[in-house]
Amino acid sequence: MKFIAGIITLFISAFSVSAQTTVVDVAISSKDHTTLVAAVKAADLVAVLQSAGPFTVFAPTNAAFAKLPAGTVETLLKPENKATLAKILTYHVVAGNLDAAAVIKAITAANGSLSVKTVSGGTLIASIESGKVVLTDEKGAKATVVAADLKAGNGVVHVIDSVVLPK
């Protein structure tokens, strides 16, 4: 009986810790998001994204950043480009806690194409293509959600396969 009680206590402790993580912690814990984490740090957005939120973050993978023209990431990480980097990163964030079910329901209710306002003030268009949620940025480029509903205490993270860019 003590063993089972110990397991239950351990489970509850683990659940409590994971419920307290932030969207930043979700990214930090992923080997596929080291570029994103470096960018968030360079743009001084860690404290913002660790605040109460809630936030929905569309998190590009390292491979997504690698699709950008050669030298783009290195240039954006320079201190003199902090404002531009912050604008790009906050273009990947939406206020609110929008899990995959809520996003799909909203897209369906909007007849297949939903305009979403980002924290940067820009707009993303969310739609469904081949059964997957696709984001179209203000330049017409697309990113597909490849993993959804990575829950955090202050929101949710959806992994995308491309970097979306504002005008």
Side-chain angles (χ1 to χ4, degrees):
M1 190 70 162
K2 283 184 179 181
F3 177 73
I4 292 173
I7 298 274
I8 291 170
T9 303
L10 183 61
F11 176 76
I12 291 170
S13 298
F15 181 79
S16 297
V17 169
S18 68
Q20 297 304 314
T21 62
T22 67
V23 293
V24 173
D25 297 322
V26 170
I28 288 171
S29 71
S30 169
K31 64 179 176 36
D32 294 324
H33 290 93
T34 56
T35 304
L36 177 62
V37 170
V40 167
K41 289 177 180 176
D44 282 335
L45 292 174
V46 173
V48 172
L49 293 173
Q50 287 180 328
S51 67
F55 303 107
T56 299
V57 177
F58 295 100
T61 61
N62 295 339
F65 280 102
K67 291 180 184 179
L68 294 172
T72 301
V73 173
E74 294 79 8
T75 299
L76 287 171
L77 292 175
K78 292 180 179 177
E80 62 267 24
N81 296 319
K82 183 174 160 181
T84 302
L85 180 59
K87 182 176 181 178
I88 291 169
L89 293 174
T90 56
Y91 188 65
H92 289 79
V93 181
V94 175
N97 192 345
L98 305 173
D99 66 12
V103 171
I104 291 168
K105 183 177 179 181
I107 292 169
T108 303
N111 295 318
S113 180
L114 175 69
S115 177
V116 180
K117 195 68 144 178
T118 68
V119 170
S120 73
T123 302
L124 289 169
I125 304 299
S127 59
I128 299 174
E129 296 179 16
S130 302
K132 295 187 177 202
V133 173
V134 174
L135 303 175
T136 303
D137 67 20
E138 294 171 336
K139 296 183 175 193
K142 294 183 178 188
T144 301
V145 175
V146 295
D149 292 344
L150 304 174
K151 306 274 185 192
N154 67 341
V156 63
V157 176
H158 303 295
V159 178
I160 57 176
D161 66 354
S162 297
V163 176
V164 289
L165 297 170
K167 282 185 180 175

